[in-house]
């Protein structure tokens, strides 16, 4: 798919203009300036020539093949130009023109027609409303962006043209080499998933970067990205992390799943890195572009100054990386080459008067150590420091090992030259040691992702007949949420353990139910109109005898009535008391792009206050479920502490995968909360004390 866009034999520029500053002029100018070697055909019925090239009246009036057409004419004429392309046999077009979906309803209609025409004619289209395509490695600049970055192995695609220009400018300014730059605008045809797939197969590209605002088909994106990231790192900068205002939600999970939770979860599940800042975006790009990955997290630091060494050590300690323990042999080698005052333990201090050779020897020694997986070299420009020669020495040592060697040559004016040297030799350099460590941690994460095995989600036998019956009945009644009993029926059909419960419509029945269950019991108001029962004074726990149950019944009904006078109160649920345990929440929220999102977190009535939750896109394997459980901030609560045994994490992981399977099988279930889910010590399972479902 990519070839005609980045390496075409001939290009027609529709709307080529003689007037500098016009898009149709700048595209031709850029093509010429970049040194494109194929044929350029300006198309403009009102001109004879543009920039010395003869003009043509229409694409299908050009003699000879036209592999790519760049269209830069007012929106209303674009469909005609596409017809000419179809007639001519041109199968790749870049529509730079604006005035489509971004401009309102009429533009959106036009864009649909454009997409439809492309599909029908078998034309692949980038845009509309984009900057175009730049391919430094083939000396192609089919855009109206001015900056042409140097060739490199990083591809960058951007949904936003404006941000694309800014990033391009940074790449040029910081001398970052790009293989391809693709501004894909409104993505009427080619979208980010297509681009990731195509760049995944592009021999010129080792690292894929993208800026995007939205993904339409989340599932397809995940499938493709998971495949591509096996071979190449993908880093995405996505705007819109904060959710735009509060939304009405009928569950804890619904209110906690921000608009962006699905993106973050999906990205990590398919091995895509998410950069939070432009700085991070380029840091990751630079690190991955060196094409080496650490086998594990053990880092050696070599520095000529104590302070930056401590900064690096601190950053390592607060990351998933660790300071490598240098072997006896390495230390002996260091002692032999370094002055006696030097520190031969990690971080290795070669001292302020270190010249290039001392760096070289130290680096060779630590890189050879089996206990070291990556190296950070720090340099501060001191009086006798040989900045450039050290850069060469570091680059030589880096080239001689498979282990990633990152550098932080600190400073500005006096290290510029060294930065260029390191850059030319593909040694990732960072202005600050902690940023180098951030990038190194990303390299470790990526290395682990590539090594990790993939397991399919488990497949449980549910009582599907019951689930379907409950859901059909609820749909027939037009219910938006399931009642207490129906919700419990569904959970039970998935073999999720529940406390024994009996519904009671009046006080007599409640007393009878309590006697049947055995004391103590819990009593809860049963109403489809009351979302959070505790808020309505609708929950009483630990009721020890019949008299308490009778009082509780009256109180619960009265406070529920006060809380919501128009609520329909069915009665109460009398429930076996669950033994105390650790309270967690498991939930589901359906995302429009990615489908069911599974939530896990610290549960109980304070979920919204604590907000200690994590998300994954379903379906969920057991490994992924275990990872989720370990990821919440208060994960330690589930471990053994102060004489209390560890919680039954296996039962919890299983419960998460059961809920995930339920959500996958029954798309009508839009939201679900198991809260609290009481987890017992290892081997003793769990119990879903409160279950809630919302429907389409
Ligand atoms: P809601 O979330 O609608 O307020 P719950 O059924 O979750 O109502 O009850 C509120 C709290 O009461 C729970 O978080 C739990 O701590 C406690 N609780 C409820 N039912 C039981 C039970 N059967 N056994 C033990 N504790 C319970
Ligand atoms: Mg609850």
């Amino acid at each position: 798919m990519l070839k005609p866009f980045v390496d075409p034999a001939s290009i027609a520029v529709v709307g080529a203009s003689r007037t500098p500053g016009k898009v149709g002029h700048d595209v031709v100018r850029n093509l010429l300036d970049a040194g494109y070697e194929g044929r350029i055909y300006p198309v403009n019925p009102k001109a004879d020539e543009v920039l010395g090239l003869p003009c043509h009246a229409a694409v299908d009036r050009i003699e000879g093949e036209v592999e790519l057409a760049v269209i830069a004419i007012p929106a209303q004429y674009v469909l005609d130009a596409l017809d000419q392309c179809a007639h001519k046999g041109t199968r790749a077009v870049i529509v730079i023109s604006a005035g489509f979906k971004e401009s309102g309803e009429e533009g959106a209609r036009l864009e649909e027609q454009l997409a439809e025409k492309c599909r029908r004619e078998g034309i692949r289209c980038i845009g509309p409303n984009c900057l175009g395509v730049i391919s430094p490695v083939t000396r192609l600049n089919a855009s109206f962006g001015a900056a042409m970055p140097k060739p490199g192995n990083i591809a960058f695609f951007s949904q936003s043209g404006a941000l694309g220009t800014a990033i391009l400018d940074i790449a040029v300014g910081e001398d970052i080499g790009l293989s391809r730059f693709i501004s894909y605008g409104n993505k009427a045809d080619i979208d980010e998933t297509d681009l990731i797939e195509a760049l995944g197969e592009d021999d010129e590209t080792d690292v894929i970067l993208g800026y995007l605002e939205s993904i339409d088909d989340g599932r397809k994106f995940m499938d493709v990205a998971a495949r591509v990231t096996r071979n190449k790192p993908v880093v995405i900068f996505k705007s819109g992390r904060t959710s735009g205002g509060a939304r009405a939600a009928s569950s804890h999970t619904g209110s906690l799943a921000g608009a962006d939770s699905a993106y973050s979860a999906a990205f990590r599940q398919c091995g895509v890195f998410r950069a939070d800042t432009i700085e991070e975006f380029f840091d990751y790009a630079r690190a991955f572009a060196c094409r080496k990955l650490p086998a594990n997290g053990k880092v050696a630091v070599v520095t000529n100054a104590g302070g930056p060494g401590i900064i690096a050590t601190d950053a390592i300690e607060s990351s998933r990386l660790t300071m490598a323990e240098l072997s006896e042999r390495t230390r002996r080698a260091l002692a032999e080459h370094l002055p006696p005052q030097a520190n031969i333990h990690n971080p290795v201090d070669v001292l302020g008067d270190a010249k290039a050779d001392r760096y070289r020897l130290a680096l060779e020694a630590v890189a050879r150590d089996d206990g070291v997986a990556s190296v950070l070299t720090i340099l501060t420009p001191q009086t006798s420091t040989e900045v450039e020669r050290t850069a060469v020495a570091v680059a030589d040592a880096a080239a001689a090992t498979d282990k990633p060697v990152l550098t932080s040559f600190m400073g500005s004016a006096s290290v510029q030259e060294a930065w260029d040297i390191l850059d030319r030799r593909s040694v990732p350099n960072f202005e600050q040691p902690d940023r180098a460590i951030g990038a190194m941690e990303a390299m470790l994460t990526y290395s682990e992702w590539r090594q990790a095995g993939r397991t399919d989600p488990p497949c449980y036998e549910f009582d599907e007949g019951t689930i379907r019956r409950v859901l059909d009945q609820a749909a027939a009644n037009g219910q938006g949420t399931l009642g207490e009993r129906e919700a419990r029926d569904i959970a039970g059909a998935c073999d999720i353990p529940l406390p024994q419960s009996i519904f009671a419509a009046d006080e007599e029945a409640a007393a009878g139910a309590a006697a049947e269950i055995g004391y103590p019991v819990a009593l809860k108001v049963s109403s489809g109109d009351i979302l959070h029962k505790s808020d309505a004074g609708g929950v009483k726990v630990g009721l020890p005898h019949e008299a308490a149950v009778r009082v509780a019944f009256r109180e619960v009904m009265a406070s529920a009535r006060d809380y919501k006078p128009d609520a329909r109160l069915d009665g109460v649920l009398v429930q076996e008391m669950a033994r105390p345990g650790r309270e967690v929440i498991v939930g589901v929220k359906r995302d429009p792009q990615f489908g069911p999102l599974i939530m896990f977190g610290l549960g109980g009535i304070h979920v919204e206050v604590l907000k200690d939750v994590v998300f994954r896109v379903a379906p969920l394997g057991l490994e992924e479920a275990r990872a989720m459980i370990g990821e919440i901030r208060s994960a330690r609560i589930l471990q053994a502490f102060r004489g209390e045994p560890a919680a039954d994490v296996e039962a919890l992981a299983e419960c998460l995968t059961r809920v995930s399977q339920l959500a996958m099988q029954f798309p009508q279930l839009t939201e679900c909360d198991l809260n609290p889910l009481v987890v017992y010590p290892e081997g003793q399972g769990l119990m879903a004390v409160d279950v809630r479902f919302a429907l389409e």
Side-chain angles (χ1 to χ4, degrees):
M1 180 204 96
L2 210 56
K3 199 257 164 194
F5 289 103
V6 296
D7 193 17
S10 48
I11 305 175
V13 181
V14 182
S17 158
R18 278 169 300 195
T19 319
K22 281 204 157 181
V23 174
H25 178 89
D26 293 356
V27 172
V28 179
R29 166 98 276 156
N30 282 340
L31 282 170
L32 290 169
D33 285 354
Y36 172 68
E37 283 165 350
R39 308 197 67 109
I40 305 172
Y41 303 110
V43 175
N44 181 345
K46 295 192 202 112
D48 297 332
E49 56 93 35
V50 169
L51 290 162
L53 297 166
C55 264
H56 302 261
V59 177
D60 47 1
R61 301 271 291 276
I62 296 167
E63 268 172 52
E65 195 211 16
V66 176
E67 198 172 354
L68 171 70
V70 182
I71 300 178
I73 49 178
Q76 71 263 35
Y77 306 120
V78 168
L79 293 181
D80 283 344
L82 274 181
D83 282 333
Q84 295 169 19
C85 291
H87 191 225
K88 179 72 197 162
T90 301
R91 291 284 170 266
V93 300
I94 299 171
V95 180
I96 291 179
S97 318
F100 289 87
K101 200 166 65 191
E102 82 288 355
S103 70
E105 241 173 74
E106 197 168 322
R109 253 195 311 279
L110 198 58
E111 187 164 321
E112 254 163 53
Q113 288 168 359
L114 179 149
E116 166 58 29
K117 200 179 275 294
C118 288
R119 262 194 304 276
R120 206 173 46 234
E121 302 291 352
I123 293 175
R124 296 312 308 261
C125 167
I126 288 178
N129 185 29
C130 71
L131 282 179
V133 172
I134 302 178
S135 169
V137 293
T138 46
R139 294 172 54 177
L140 174 88
N141 185 352
S143 82
F144 66 98
M148 176 79 171
K150 70 169 194 189
N153 61 350
I154 300 170
F156 172 64
F157 62 83
S158 177
Q159 190 171 345
S160 152
L163 200 98
T165 324
I167 298 241
L168 209 53
D169 201 52
I170 296 173
V172 173
E174 297 201 3
D175 222 20
I176 293 170
L178 297 188
S179 55
R180 327 285 190 189
F181 166 88
I182 300 166
S183 155
Y184 66 111
N186 295 4
K187 49 176 172 172
D189 172 33
I190 291 173
D191 66 8
E192 51 283 330
T193 304
D194 299 320
L195 291 172
I196 288 176
E197 185 159 41
L199 292 167
E201 288 161 10
D202 180 19
D203 290 338
E204 301 290 344
T205 297
D206 290 320
V207 185
I208 302 170
L209 304 188
Y211 168 81
L212 53 87
E213 283 153 7
S214 63
I215 292 174
D216 300 317
D217 186 344
R219 292 274 156 181
K220 190 170 157 223
F221 175 89
M222 287 181 78
D223 285 347
V224 169
R227 221 170 340 103
V228 171
T229 53
R230 281 287 173 173
N231 300 316
K232 285 181 200 180
V234 176
V235 184
I236 299 285
F237 183 54
K238 183 189 169 293
S239 56
R241 223 198 224 298
T242 48
S243 55
R247 296 158 308 120
S250 59
S251 65
H252 293 291
T253 311
S255 72
L256 284 165
D260 210 51
S261 312
Y263 282 100
S264 291
F267 287 167
R268 65 166 296 161
Q269 278 173 268
C270 57
V272 167
F273 282 87
R274 178 164 193 174
D276 279 326
T277 58
I278 295 202
E279 204 171 68
E280 220 172 53
F281 197 45
F282 280 114
D283 282 356
Y284 292 168
R286 218 175 277 157
F288 287 129
C290 83
R291 295 167 53 198
K292 289 177 187 168
L293 290 175
N296 57 56
K298 292 176 189 157
V299 186
V301 177
V302 175
T303 175
N304 69 346
I310 297 170
I311 295 176
T313 308
D314 285 349
I316 289 169
E317 239 113 74
S318 59
S319 75
R320 295 193 313 109
L321 302 162
T322 50
M323 287 293 279
E325 176 113 26
L326 300 178
S327 73
E328 173 72 48
R329 195 171 141 226
T330 306
R331 276 180 282 136
R332 238 184 299 123
L334 288 170
E336 204 177 297
H337 297 305
L338 302 183
Q341 310 89 306
N343 183 20
I344 56 168
H345 295 269
N346 197 13
V348 175
D349 191 340
V350 293
L351 302 178
D353 62 348
K355 300 223 187 311
D357 259 2
R358 215 187 276 168
Y359 264 101
R360 183 195 307 269
L361 293 166
L363 266 177
E364 282 170 357
V366 298
R368 228 181 288 130
D369 193 318
D370 289 337
V372 171
S374 57
V375 185
L376 172 63
T377 311
I378 300 172
L379 175 143
T380 55
Q382 303 181 40
T383 14
S384 53
T385 310
E386 300 173 330
V387 182
E388 289 85 30
R389 286 191 59 201
T390 305
V392 173
V394 173
D396 288 345
T401 170
D402 289 339
K403 299 172 186 177
V405 175
L406 276 55
T407 59
S408 180
F409 276 42
M410 300 173 73
S412 183
S414 57
V415 288
Q416 287 292 344
E417 185 77 18
W419 288 351
D420 289 344
I421 295 169
L422 294 167
D423 192 56
R424 274 198 299 278
R425 304 278 308 268
S426 299
V427 177
N429 179 63
F430 302 82
E431 288 176 41
Q432 311 299 339
D434 46 337
R435 276 173 63 184
I437 294 304
M440 220 179 241
E441 191 179 18
M443 293 168 101
L444 172 68
T445 304
Y446 183 58
S447 169
E448 288 167 347
W449 161 259
R450 299 231 310 199
Q451 288 166 41
R454 300 283 177 278
T455 48
D456 288 332
C459 182
Y460 302 106
E461 254 225 28
F462 290 165
D463 175 1
E464 288 177 26
T466 299
I467 301 173
R468 198 153 287 127
R469 186 164 40 72
V470 171
L471 291 179
D472 289 349
Q473 185 62 50
N477 298 346
Q479 281 171 254
T481 52
L482 290 183
E484 203 84 53
R485 258 183 302 175
E486 302 154 308
R488 292 167 42 82
D489 283 347
I490 291 192
C494 301
D495 278 329
I496 293 169
L498 302 162
Q500 190 194 349
S501 309
I502 298 173
F503 172 76
D506 56 32
E507 192 183 313
E508 270 324 297
E516 192 181 328
I517 289 168
Y519 293 99
V521 293
L523 203 134
K524 304 176 183 183
V525 66
S526 176
S527 164
D529 301 326
I530 294 177
L531 227 48
H532 300 303
K533 300 177 287 295
S534 304
D535 293 352
V539 179
K540 300 275 177 194
V541 295
L543 304 171
H545 44 60
E546 182 180 328
V549 169
R550 287 181 181 275
V551 174
F553 181 88
R554 274 172 258 144
E555 285 180 0
V556 159
M557 295 302 269
S559 40
R561 173 73 54 225
D562 275 354
Y563 180 75
K564 207 169 186 186
D566 59 342
R568 204 188 84 195
L569 304 181
D570 299 329
V572 297
L573 200 71
V574 183
Q575 197 169 64
E576 167 194 353
M577 277 301 289
R579 282 183 296 127
R582 280 159 270 199
E583 294 195 347
V584 299
I585 180 170
V586 167
V588 179
K589 158 86 202 292
R590 194 162 298 272
D591 179 85
Q593 276 78 39
F594 292 94
L597 266 187
I598 309 298
M599 183 179 89
F600 170 73
L602 209 59
I605 53 177
H606 299 306
V607 204
E608 265 103 352
V609 182
L610 299 170
K611 287 200 173 76
D612 190 5
V613 294
V614 292
F615 294 90
R616 288 290 194 282
V617 177
L620 213 55
L622 283 165
E623 204 50 57
E624 196 80 54
R626 287 185 201 109
M628 281 179 89
I629 297 166
E631 256 169 48
I632 56 168
R633 286 195 305 278
S634 26
R636 281 201 50 206
I637 286 182
L638 300 169
Q639 294 164 9
F641 71 103
R642 295 218 187 132
E644 195 159 341
D648 199 336
V649 169
E650 273 315 292
L652 197 48
E654 185 187 315
C655 181
L656 277 161
T657 54
R658 283 184 183 276
V659 169
S660 151
Q661 181 178 326
L662 175 69
M664 289 300 286
Q665 277 181 9
F666 296 92
Q668 351 24 345
L669 294 170
T670 51
E671 284 177 38
C672 157
D673 274 345
L674 306 184
N675 182 40
L677 187 66
V678 184
V679 190
Y680 299 113
E682 246 164 346
Q684 298 179 31
L686 45 75
M687 200 170 256
V689 162
D690 183 22
V691 187
R692 191 196 326 276
F693 288 104
L695 303 175
E696 252 168 341

